[in-house]
Structure formats: C-alpha cells, structure tokens
Amino acid sequence: MKATTSSSTRIVWITGLVLVAGLALLLRQRDHARGPSADGVIHEPSSGKAPGISSPAKNGEGPPSLPRESGPRTSLTVDELVAIYEKKGAAAALAAAKGITGPDRDGQVVFILTYLAQIDPEWVAEALAEAGLSHVHQGFIVSAVMNHWKDGEKALAWASGFTGDLRKSAVGQALRILVRTNPEKATAYVEAMPESGNRSQALTDLLVSWGGHDPKAALAYLDRSLSPDERAHSLELVVAAWARTYPKEALAWIGTIQDKTLSARLIHEAALSWSSVSPDDASAWLATLPDDALKAGILDAIAERERNTIRCEFGSIQAPDQGWKNKPVAERTVVDLRNWATQDPTGARKHLEQASDGTGLNDLATSVAAGISTKEGPAAAFEWAQGLNAESKATALRLAVISWAGKNPSEAASAIEKVEPEQRTALASALVGRWSTIDPAAAAVWVANSPESDRKPLIRELLQQWSGSEPREAYAWLGSQPSGESRDEGISYMIVREASSDPASLVPWIEMLSTPALREEKRKLLDQYLKRAETE
C-alpha cells in the first residue's frame, strides 16, 4: 500500500516530521550543551550561562539578568526566557512565555518548549496540552519532542492521544523511535491499525527508520508479514533508506535478487538515494555500470531531480557543429558559443579574459566556467572568473558556485563570504538553490545564520527547492524562524504556493506574520480561496 500525501493534509502534516531540522537549528544556535538528568527532572545547569549565547551582561560576563516581575510583559527575549529557566526552572520559564501579552507570545512559547525539549522531552510533552498553542504550533513542538525522546513506547502512547493530522504525524515519528529499540511492538501497532492512509503513512515512517538502522531485520519483516502489494512498495522504502547509510551493502544485497525486473527497480531507487547524500561516490559507481537502459534511466532521474540547476557537466559534451568558426563573435548564437567553448576551450577562455565588455557572452562564460569546473575543479573556475569583466565575472562565478555546491557546499559558502558585497547576494542565492537539492537541512542552517539583510531572498530560494521534495521539513523549519521580514517572506511564499490546495490549513500561519498590514493582505488572499473551496 503506497502512502501518499493528500492536499487536505499537506500543510499541517508538513509541520510534523522534521521541524527537527529547523527547531534544532534554534537549539544549535544556542549551543546549549545539557542533557536530561537521571531522575528525569530538569535541574539548573552547572554554569550560569549556556555556551555560545551572546547576551547583555554585567561587566561583560555572566548570564543575562532576569526581567523584572511586574506583571505580564508585552515581550521577552529568548535570552530572558533562558535566564528565567536557569534561575527558576522550566515551569517558570514556560509561565513567563505564556504570560506575554504581545504578538510574540506564541513564538516565544514555541521557543522555550523547543529549547526544553532537548533537556527533558517528556516534561515538554506533558506541558504542551496547557501551552495554549494552535494546531500548527503544536506540530512544531511534537517534532522537537520526538527528536529528543529516546523512549519509543512512551512517545507512541503520547502520540496516540492526538487527533487528526497531528496524530498521524506524531504516531509516525514515534514509530521511527520505537522501531529502533522494540521493532516487535512497533510493527504490532501498525498491524493493528485499520486499512487507511494513516496506516500506510505509519508503515512508511516505520520502514524508513528501520531501513536505515537495521535493514536486514526490516526485509525479514516484509517477507513474513506484508501482502504482495504492500511488500513491493515497502521494498523500495527500505532499500532507499539503506542506500543512504550503507549504499554498497544495499547494492550487494540487490545483486542477490533473481527477479531481474525487481532488481533493476531497486538498483534505480538505491542509486537515486545514494546520489542525494553522496553525489560524487554515487557518480563514480554509476560510471562502472554498462551503458544500458538502466543506467540511462538513473541518470535521467538524477537530471530531472536537479532540473532547476545548471548542469555543470555540459562543458564536456562534444557538439558536432563547427559552423561557429566561420562567424564573427558578435553573430554567434547560443549554440555557437557553447560549441566554441567545447571544441576550442583555450581560445574561448582567452577571448573572455581579454574582453572588456561581456555583452552577449553570458553563454560563453557559463560554458567555459563549466569546462574548467569539470576538468580542474570548481575552486579553479571560481578563481579564474575573478579576472573577467563585470558581466562575464558574475555569470562565471555563479556557475562555479553551483558546481562547487554540488561537491562541497561549505567550501563554496566560505568562498562567497570573501567576494564583494554587491556580488554576494546573487552568489548566495545560487549556492542555496543548489545546496537545497542535496542537503536542504544543512542549507537551512546556513541560511538561518546569514545576515538578516541577506536572508530574505535566501529563504525564498531555499523553500522553492525544499518544499517540492520535503514540504513537511521545509515548512516546519520556516515556522521555527524568528519573527521578521525574512520569515514573512517565507510564509508569504508558502501561502501563495499552497493556497489552492488547502487554504483552511494556512489560516494559523497568518498570525505568524510580523505586521498587521501583511496579515490583512494574506487574510484577504486566503478568504478568496476559502470562498472558492466552499462552492466547489
């Protein structure tokens, strides 16, 4: 039974599985190195200040001072909430956040519960019911709790107390925990569920986790417990998860399958999964395969997945047409310029280096940079581009960054930080666009740590890629971001993207926008879709 995501569950269900990527980001930014105590109670930390926290202090050191307790506050900073926790405990910090009377109230409640979830997830689970949060915000906390809860049985019992889409998401996350420690109880829970989309999704969550942790046990379960229809799709889930962690083991196992059709399908899934986490290693393995339909299908699928990026490999393609040689440079077409770069890379490179004006040469700059990146590496292409005229330089740098991001995005990010400010925004967008097709969670961390002045376009670029492949994770991360123009940009993008499928699920996000004018604008937009939905 193949699990699918219906439009009616998309937005809220989205917030369930991995807000972890975004909410954990806030926690990583705090760099709070504490864990739950042996008795399960949150105690004060041994030091007065969590490492890495930048906050106002007396004489330049020590924790932030506690806010004055003069009744409800219209706002509290995250440092103030942490200071309350460190001095008075978790309950006091949560009470302070709940007592905020300004528009940041829900955001700060989400922050402190997420912060505490890494310390004592079970306490947070109990506190959530009285936190006064919307359905969407509860989804954020569920994901944060599940990311740190080690007791799968307790997590599943808690998850089962929710209703609707939130229950579906919470149960799936709990099963991911439980199957690693007690697969018998996890599978028994799924088997007792009635046939439905909820059961299908629960099985998917279980197998994805199990396949990455103990794939052979997961495979044995498929053989003895599932129907032929369920087993066919479930095999793909297990193999894909296996290939993300131990690709060579997964491929070796696939090699033992006698059914050639099934074997080819699983090789296809394993290769795609492997290439998503380690593109260079997967590419080297693909090069050893015979040039047959299976290899062509895998390469086509990878290309389709990356269709919104520049194909850095095209610089090595041999084009047969040499008609460009008989034309003046100004009359050469796009195809001519690409053929020039391919057939005479030295001459094309020299022409760009000597040209004082890049008008009409963008395709040549892109093609030459792609060739350098392929043969010498993206760092060499990036360095070469620095010496070109302004227009060709911008084009070649963008290509180099996109190529670099596919191999080592952290190095590309470091290189971008050294270029002139007027070039940085465009290159950062190119980096995020490529990075988010490979490791969107890591790209999200980088975006969140970017200067606020740069973050607005980067959030949109990130979501354009990430929301297409992992919408739950993408929108959950968005919900965890601090209030401001950057998060507004992301929420506005999400509303426009999703309004036609399930406008009602988007309503809670309106309140997370930072200005009354923007909230009113998006509310009017959603009202149009809601009225349309009522008549359909």
Side-chain angles (χ1 to χ4, degrees), residues 187-203:
T187 53
Y189 183 93
V190 174
E191 290 167 5
M193 296 176 71
E195 291 286 343
S196 66
N198 286 353
R199 181 183 187 276
S200 180
Q201 184 57 49
L203 181 61

Side-chain angles (χ1 to χ4, degrees), residues 134-216:
S134 69
H135 198 65
V136 170
H137 285 112
Q138 287 183 56
F140 300 166
I141 306 307
V142 167
S143 290
V145 166
M146 293 300 184
N147 190 41
H148 297 283
W149 211 344
K150 306 303 180 186
D151 190 328
E153 290 187 55
K154 287 185 177 180
L156 185 57
W158 179 63
S160 299
F162 291 103
T163 59
D165 295 325
L166 190 54
R167 182 181 193 277
K168 182 178 179 180
S169 175
V171 165
Q173 293 175 77
L175 287 170
R176 286 177 177 242
I177 302 168
L178 183 58
V179 75
R180 292 171 175 263
T181 57
N182 195 329
E184 291 79 13
K185 285 192 175 181
T187 53
Y189 183 93
V190 174
E191 290 167 5
M193 296 176 71
E195 291 286 343
S196 66
N198 286 353
R199 181 183 187 276
S200 180
Q201 184 57 49
L203 181 61
T204 294
D205 285 320
L206 180 149
L207 291 174
V208 166
S209 179
W210 206 0
H213 175 68
D214 189 355
K216 292 185 177 178

Side-chain angles (χ1 to χ4, degrees), residues 487-502:
R487 189 175 74 176
D488 288 348
E489 178 74 8
I491 294 175
S492 297
Y493 169 78
M494 179 188 69
I495 288 173
V496 171
R497 178 186 174 99
E498 307 292 351
S500 61
S501 60
D502 189 6

Side-chain angles (χ1 to χ4, degrees), residues 324 329 332 337-356 361 363-389 392-393 396:
W324 59 272
V329 173
R332 290 175 185 173
L337 294 174
R338 291 178 179 174
N339 287 336
W340 183 12
T342 301
Q343 297 169 20
D344 180 21
T346 301
R349 181 170 177 170
K350 184 177 180 180
H351 180 84
L352 285 168
E353 291 168 353
Q354 295 177 346
S356 59
L361 297 177
D363 283 282
L364 185 64
T366 297
S367 300
V368 171
I372 296 173
S373 180
T374 300
K375 294 174 183 177
E376 304 175 36
F382 191 91
E383 182 65 26
W384 169 76
Q386 302 285 351
L388 303 181
N389 63 72
S392 297
K393 177 180 180 179

Side-chain angles (χ1 to χ4, degrees), residues 22 38 50 70 78 88 114 131 163 189 215 294 328 335 345 348 391 398 404 409 411 420 437 440 478 494 524:
S70 56
V78 294
K88 297 189 174 184
T114 302
T163 59
Y189 183 93
L294 174 60
V335 174
E391 186 170 352
R398 184 174 186 276
W404 211 344
E411 283 187 3
E420 296 88 342
T437 67
L478 174 62
M494 179 188 69
K524 288 179 179 179

Side-chain angles (χ1 to χ4, degrees), residues 225-273:
S225 302
L226 298 188
S227 67
D229 287 343
E230 282 184 318
R231 185 177 185 276
H233 173 59
S234 298
L235 263 177
E236 295 178 9
L237 293 173
V238 172
V239 165
W242 194 358
R244 278 191 290 273
T245 49
Y246 302 104
K248 293 183 178 179
E249 283 186 14
L251 289 164
W253 177 82
I254 294 170
T256 66
I257 296 176
Q258 299 298 315
D259 185 333
K260 298 302 181 184
T261 301
L262 176 61
S263 175
R265 193 172 80 242
L266 294 179
I267 288 173
H268 185 278
E269 290 298 321
L272 283 180
S273 184

